[in-house]
């Protein structure tokens, strides 16, 4: 069986072009050098480009036979002789820029060829699609839905009645979008469910009475949502995801949640109803946030934490319940010492 390559390297690229894309300076090497591939340090060979930003991989760097390496200034003299050196402010970020130029289809994959609406899709006559919209087989688009130019709706997705989707979006296979308004350049990975009703019940001895969820989901521009993530619509106000926010796979966002701009939510984060994340908040994987709390702008919460109370802006927090990381570390150290003292009993 042949070994397929899903993302093929384009024709060889000169080092000076890579330096321009990476916003890097050629510290050592000839700008006319041809780069014909990219690779991790351990697999790099002649003609390939690598990057280095973590000293844990210093041994691999010193053994590399790559053609060129992206590094921060503090690491430039660690690169072995014979390897061209591109100095940049942030090697990983520059690496991302270069890969984006070389493999644009890996950022947001779109099928080659002209936009088309599959004969095996079901598009309601009352839906409105702008020019150059692609609708693949098995898609269902409801009445009064609006889809902007350049958007791709992948196989078997369901776009509900009245949903608004902006321009240059990608709605992945098997996604379900209901009661939602999406901005431009929104990317849903496969299996996202957006706009279903939130989990709301008036509980009592007579039974649990379902509360109608009459809000929407508002997703602003340049938001990316990972596979199998769920975003509930608001109960009596909207669930909102701010522009530029990046959400990993299998994240749960409850009703009435407000996520600010350029936040990062890692896999299996759970946001309970009516919590608020201000701009630039980052939350590590498997962290839970209680309903009705606010996490201040720029705060970071470590993985596998539980946020029970409001967290001030700009801090770093972790633990159960979440607290400033220095306090958390002291508590963990104290518990360890206590356990060691009683270890023989």
């Amino acid at each position: 069986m042949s070994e397929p390559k899903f993302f093929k390297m384009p024709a060889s690229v000169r080092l000076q072009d890579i330096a321009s894309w990476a916003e890097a300076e050629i510290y050592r090497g000839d700008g006319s050098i041809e780069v014909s591939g990219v690779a991790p340090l351990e697999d790099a060979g002649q003609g390939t480009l690598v990057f280095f930003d973590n000293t844990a991989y210093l041994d691999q760097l010193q053994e590399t036979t790559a053609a060129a390496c992206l590094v921060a200034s503090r690491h430039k003299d660690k690169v072995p002789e014979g390897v061209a050196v591109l100095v940049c402010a942030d090697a990983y970020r520059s690496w991302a820029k270069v890969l984006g130029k070389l493999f644009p289809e890996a950022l947001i994959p779109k099928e080659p060829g002209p936009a088309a609406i599959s004969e095996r899709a079901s598009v309601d006559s009352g839906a409105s699609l702008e020019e150059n919209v692609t609708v693949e087989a098995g898609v269902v688009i409801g009445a009064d839905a609006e889809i902007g130019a350049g958007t791709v709706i992948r196989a078997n997705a369901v776009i509900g009645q009245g949903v608004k989707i902006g321009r240059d979006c990608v709605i992945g296979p098997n996604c379900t979008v209901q009661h939602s308004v999406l901005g431009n350049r929104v990317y849903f990975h496969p299996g996202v469910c957006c706009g279903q009703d939130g989990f709301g019940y008036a509980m009592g001895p007579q039974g649990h009475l379902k509360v109608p969820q009459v809000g929407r989901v508002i997703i602003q521009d340049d938001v990316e949502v990972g596979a199998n993530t769920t975003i509930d619509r608001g109960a009596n106000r909207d669930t909102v995801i701010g522009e530029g926010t990046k959400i990993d796979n299998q994240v749960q966002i409850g009703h009435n949640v407000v996520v600010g701009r350029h936040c990062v939510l890692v896999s299996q984060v759970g946001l309970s109803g009516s919590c608020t994340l201000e701009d630039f908040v980052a939350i590590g994987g498997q962290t839970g946030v209680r309903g009705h709390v606010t996490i201040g702008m720029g705060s970071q919460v470590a993985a596998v934490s539980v946020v029970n109370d409001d967290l001030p802006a700009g801090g770093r927090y972790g633990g159960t319940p979440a607290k400033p990381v220095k306090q958390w570390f002291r508590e963990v150290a104290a518990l360890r010492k206590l356990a060691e003292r009683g270890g023989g009993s």
Side-chain angles (χ1 to χ4, degrees):
M1 181 182 294
S2 64
E3 183 179 350
K5 291 225 178 246
F6 296 105
F7 302 106
K8 295 182 179 179
M9 177 79 180
S12 296
V13 180
R14 293 178 303 173
L15 191 66
Q16 63 190 41
D17 293 325
I18 290 175
S20 175
W21 298 339
E23 299 180 7
E25 175 188 354
I26 300 177
Y27 171 71
R28 184 175 73 209
D30 184 345
S32 64
I33 291 173
E34 296 282 332
V35 172
S36 56
V38 297
L41 281 168
E42 66 271 21
D43 294 331
Q46 292 185 354
T48 57
L49 174 73
V50 297
F51 82 98
F52 175 79
D53 72 344
N54 187 333
T55 55
Y57 301 101
L58 183 58
D59 289 346
Q60 293 179 8
L61 174 67
Q62 293 174 343
E63 296 295 326
T64 190
T65 58
C69 181
L70 288 162
V71 293
S73 179
R74 65 185 180 277
H75 297 314
K76 63 186 180 183
D77 294 323
K78 297 182 176 71
V79 181
E81 291 294 330
V83 179
V85 179
L86 300 175
V87 173
C88 47
D90 182 332
Y92 189 50
R93 192 173 184 87
S94 290
W95 175 257
K97 290 177 181 178
V98 172
L99 291 187
K101 289 287 188 179
L102 295 175
F103 307 102
E105 71 278 12
L107 289 171
I108 299 183
K110 296 186 179 182
E111 295 296 333
I117 298 175
S118 172
E119 294 180 354
R120 291 184 289 159
S122 176
V123 181
D124 190 275
S125 60
S128 175
L129 279 61
E130 292 186 342
E131 295 181 353
N132 299 317
V133 171
T134 296
V135 180
E136 295 185 345
V139 168
V140 176
I141 299 178
D144 301 318
E146 298 179 10
I147 300 176
T151 288
V152 176
I153 311 296
R154 310 289 284 204
N156 300 320
V158 176
I159 310 301
Q161 179 177 350
V163 166
K164 315 299 181 191
I165 298 176
R167 295 175 175 169
D168 298 312
C169 297
V170 176
I171 306 301
N174 300 309
C175 290
T176 301
V177 187
Q178 310 170 67
H179 308 99
S180 300
V181 178
L182 278 57
N184 300 320
R185 300 173 301 280
V186 172
Y187 182 15
F188 281 4
H189 289 256
V192 169
C193 292
C194 179
Q196 62 281 343
D197 61 346
F199 191 72
Y201 295 87
M203 296 185 291
Q206 303 91 346
H208 307 317
L209 181 64
K210 188 176 182 67
V211 179
Q213 308 287 290
V214 298
R216 306 170 296 176
V217 174
I218 307 295
I219 296 185
Q220 297 177 359
D221 295 348
D222 300 304
V223 169
E224 184 167 351
V225 181
N228 296 323
T229 282
T230 55
I231 305 173
D232 294 343
R233 70 176 182 264
N236 53 5
R237 58 183 175 87
D238 295 331
T239 300
V240 180
I241 311 295
E243 67 174 337
T245 285
K246 311 302 180 187
I247 301 172
D248 198 359
N249 303 333
Q250 297 181 325
V251 171
Q252 156 65 13
I253 298 176
H255 59 196
N256 299 345
V257 166
V258 176
V259 176
R261 300 174 301 134
H262 304 289
C263 293
V264 174
L265 306 178
V266 182
S267 181
Q268 297 183 356
V269 162
L271 303 183
S272 300
S274 300
C275 70
T276 298
L277 277 56
E278 295 181 348
D279 298 344
F280 294 97
V281 167
I283 301 183
Q286 295 190 327
T287 288
V289 180
R290 186 175 66 83
H292 305 278
V293 304
T294 296
I295 300 179
M297 183 170 67
S299 290
Q300 300 177 3
V301 182
V304 200
S305 298
V306 176
V307 180
N308 278 340
D309 299 294
D310 293 350
L311 298 179
R316 298 177 63 214
Y317 306 93
T320 303
K323 54 185 67 71
V325 289
K326 289 183 178 179
Q327 179 184 345
W328 177 36
F329 291 162
R330 286 196 300 268
E331 291 178 0
V332 170
L335 284 172
R336 183 184 299 115
K337 290 178 181 177
L338 183 62
E340 289 171 352
R341 285 201 299 268
S345 59

